Amino acid sequence: MLRFDPFSDLDALTRGLLTSSSGTNRTPRFMPMDLCKIDDHYVLTADLPGVDPGSVDVDVDNGTLTISAHRTARSEDSVQWLANERFFGTYRRQLSLGEGIDAGAISATYENGVLTVTIPMAERAKKRRIEVSHSADQRSIETNTVEAG
């Protein structure tokens, strides 16, 4: 698994500064996630509290895993906010997958505000032991070849 986008945080900050003004909708700043390797697969867990489970989307295209989800803002007109700090809008996160991933077998679950994506390694990328074969007849073949020459 490779994650390389040195400008993503800077892009998000710039977008936030250029598009936000007083009284506009706040968009999510990030999608916190953990990624670990367990045996022959990777497990990605991302915190998505309060998002509509039907809005969670995980797809793979051309070696890029994209996760997106949406949290809807309260639309009550009669609400007088005393504190309004929760972000709403669309979350999106992308990761580059290495060549050793079985993209067709990736699976995902969303439970209690946590998205879990299981990313299996391709068979060709799994660690395996190569058996070394040898033959007792090999020495006699080498001896016969020397005598014939």
Side-chain angles (χ1 to χ4, degrees):
M1 299 286 300
L2 301 173
R3 178 180 179 252
F4 181 79
D5 187 0
F7 302 107
S8 65
D9 293 334
L10 183 59
D11 288 343
L13 178 62
T14 304
R15 244 187 333 272
L17 292 173
L18 294 176
T19 60
S20 67
S21 59
S22 180
T24 62
N25 296 346
R26 290 181 326 275
T27 58
R29 300 213 189 279
F30 63 95
M31 177 190 304
M33 67 167 224
D34 293 331
L35 179 64
C36 63
K37 183 176 184 238
I38 301 172
D39 298 326
D40 61 353
H41 63 279
Y42 297 94
V43 176
L44 180 148
T45 51
D47 290 343
L48 295 169
V51 303
D52 175 21
S55 76
V56 178
D57 186 40
V58 178
D59 65 53
V60 177
D61 183 29
N62 203 21
T64 300
L65 176 75
T66 302
I67 301 170
S68 59
H70 186 79
R71 184 179 348 175
T72 307
R74 294 181 89 166
S75 60
E76 302 168 14
D77 294 332
S78 62
V79 173
Q80 179 183 359
W81 292 104
L82 302 176
N84 189 9
E85 299 173 347
R86 295 177 62 219
F87 295 109
F88 55 90
T90 301
Y91 292 82
R92 184 176 172 150
R93 189 88 186 244
Q94 291 185 310
L95 293 126
S96 295
L97 301 175
E99 291 183 25
I101 299 298
D102 184 358
I106 294 175
S107 61
T109 59
Y110 179 69
E111 186 176 345
N112 296 327
V114 178
L115 175 69
T116 302
V117 181
T118 302
I119 307 165
M121 293 174 61
E123 282 297 321
R124 61 180 163 65
K126 291 180 183 176
K127 181 178 176 180
R128 61 189 179 279
R129 188 172 194 283
I130 308 297
E131 187 174 329
V132 178
S133 63
H134 59 282
S135 172
D137 296 332
Q138 186 174 0
R139 182 173 175 170
S140 64
I141 292 171
E142 290 174 4
T143 305
N144 291 338
T145 305
V146 172
E147 290 173 5

